[in-house]
Amino acid sequence: MTPLEIVTLLITLVGVFFVVVSSVGLVRLPDLYTRVHAGGKSGTLGIIGVLLGAGVFFITDLRIVIKMLILIAFFFLTGPVAAHMLDRAALLSGVKPMEGTYPNDLEGRYDPETRRLS
């Protein structure tokens, strides 16, 4: 096994670890908000790790490395925003957080008509 393959394997394993942690979080966490958090943060890190591993493996082909970097930037920007939008949609739809969530700073602060913070 070459040093490049070892580095690729390590980076990819870190990415896979985060994907597995995200999957476990989706199953084990108690409410929608925490599940979205698990998918948004850990899932994004996992995908970035796998793409980075692919980019390192194909380090000699600049086109592939650039594509991987563009994909990483795309997931880095859109994953957390998508998670935030899912949480916001759930809040506006009336999905309650799990019991004992304290403080709920957004409770009663969203205007249902304008869908903006008041």
Side-chain angles (χ1 to χ4, degrees):
M1 198 175 241
T2 65
L4 179 65
E5 290 173 341
I6 293 172
V7 170
T8 300
L9 180 66
L10 291 175
I11 293 172
T12 304
L13 282 177
V14 169
V16 169
F17 169 76
F18 278 111
V19 169
V20 169
V21 167
S22 175
S23 301
V24 170
L26 289 175
V27 174
R28 300 277 308 183
L29 291 175
D31 67 349
L32 180 120
Y33 299 103
T34 54
R35 289 178 182 159
V36 169
H37 180 77
K41 305 299 186 277
S42 305
T44 301
L45 286 176
I47 290 170
I48 288 172
V50 171
L51 290 174
L52 193 61
V56 168
F57 185 74
F58 294 105
I59 195 82
T60 56
D61 190 347
L62 189 59
R63 289 178 304 157
I64 293 176
V65 172
I66 289 173
K67 286 178 186 177
M68 293 302 122
L69 291 176
I70 290 171
L71 282 172
I72 287 170
F74 176 76
F75 278 107
F76 189 73
L77 293 175
T78 60
V81 172
H84 172 76
M85 295 308 292
L86 282 172
D87 276 343
R88 186 170 184 262
L91 182 72
L92 291 174
S93 300
V95 176
K96 298 287 181 199
M98 69 180 205
E99 226 173 273
T101 299
Y102 182 80
N104 186 358
D105 292 337
L106 296 177
E107 187 171 355
R109 294 193 58 207
Y110 263 107
D111 183 7
E113 296 294 323
T114 63
R115 296 183 174 225
R116 295 189 181 272
L117 281 172
S118 55

